Amino acid sequence: MNGKAMKEWIARLQPICRSITGDGVRETLRLIGEQIPLECHEVASGTPVLDWTVPPEWNIRDAYIKDASGRRVVDFARSNLHVVSYSIPVAPRWISRAELEPHLHSLPDRPDWIPYRTAYYERAWGFCLSQRQRDALTDERYEIAIDATLAPGALSYGELRIAGESEAEILISAHVCHPSLCNDNLSGIAVAVALARDRLGTRPRLSYRFLFAPGTIGAISWLARHREAMPRIEHGLTLVCLGDDHPLQYKQTFAGDAPIDRAMALVLAGEPDAHPALPFHPYGYDERQFNSPGFRLPVGSFMRGRHGEFPEYHTSADDLDFIRPECLERSALRLREVCDLLEANARLVSLAPHGEPQLGRRGLYEAIGGSSDPQSLSRALLWVLQFADGEHDLIDVAARSGIPWNTVAEAAERLEAKGLLERHGGGRRRCGS
Ligand code: ZN
């Protein structure tokens, strides 16, 4: 999937009215399922999940504010952002402008944009509209209606597991609960799908688990129901705003020095304008559920624009024009590089650790002579040997030496072939293990 194809696919997903439950999520999972074989799960309303309970299912068909002449001045059919997500049903009725006013949400500083608002766990209703629309509400009375249902149903999420040579897994998670917003939500889904399509039909070294779940309650439901999977998850990422033209950036895991943190640092060091890594903080997306003390899954977050910090965030301006094919494509490329690196990473154990082994006797200088970049490979051999104490991994060598990853990996292969080195999967041992 190149950037253009990703954006075209996002255009199909954009009109769907997603929320944390409901048919919009199901339709989204169905469209993801056209691209990759997705296993869909439903968790009934009322099910206890960790400290939470799956809420009633929300579905909406129509909503409006009509003026005295019967004209729809705010119309759900024109934008699904016009209704506060999880609004309780409102039967058609006339109300005064003063009574309507507290139920309206607009952005005075951005008079043409519609804000995105939710009320998942309150029994509330509301309309979101542009400031211009709001200023034009000069009638004394309006007819309003929200044709929605909040009823026992289910929460939906989808999963794809791709088995690799190792049981150890990379978790790739994207939230699927935002309505017609493109960067916050759909870009992450598209980049995840692109990676899944790339890995499907191959036998990767590590296994992959792709999770498409509504934010917070979806991740919590998944954590509650898949505890058996937890010990196998060695690396993870939430994919969030990845289609805008802000530089790529990475938010670290709670530990801050997991292999995913170090792999990301190495890959983003090759991005001319990447931001320095953001230390973990307990807000943002579902990385905060995965990293919680009871799970401590090493899950970082990969993004461009940072949530809440770009003006278009959670507004109608986060639309198709806001995301760019080349940005989506570069995000997907860098993600693939990070996963390649995690798959190739290994903890290094020298079989001749006392002093420097005699490389010439083993023909390693001849091997170096055949390389297109002998200097770099010869140095890489020494770096790898120096790090091969059973505590360090290939990512450490590449990060400390500044030698390109492929050269470091080749050096390790050659040393192994000569019986000087063992490579152990999974990279550097985690603290305490
Ligand atoms: Zn959001």
Side-chain angles (χ1 to χ4, degrees), residues 262-279:
R262 294 181 294 116
M264 264 293 173
L266 202 56
V267 167
L268 292 188
E271 253 323 272
D273 57 354
H275 275 288
L278 299 163

Side-chain angles (χ1 to χ4, degrees), residues 312-324:
E312 296 83 357
Y313 173 78
H314 281 194
T315 76
S316 56
D318 182 358
D319 60 7
L320 279 172
D321 290 338
F322 185 54
I323 56 169
R324 295 173 37 175

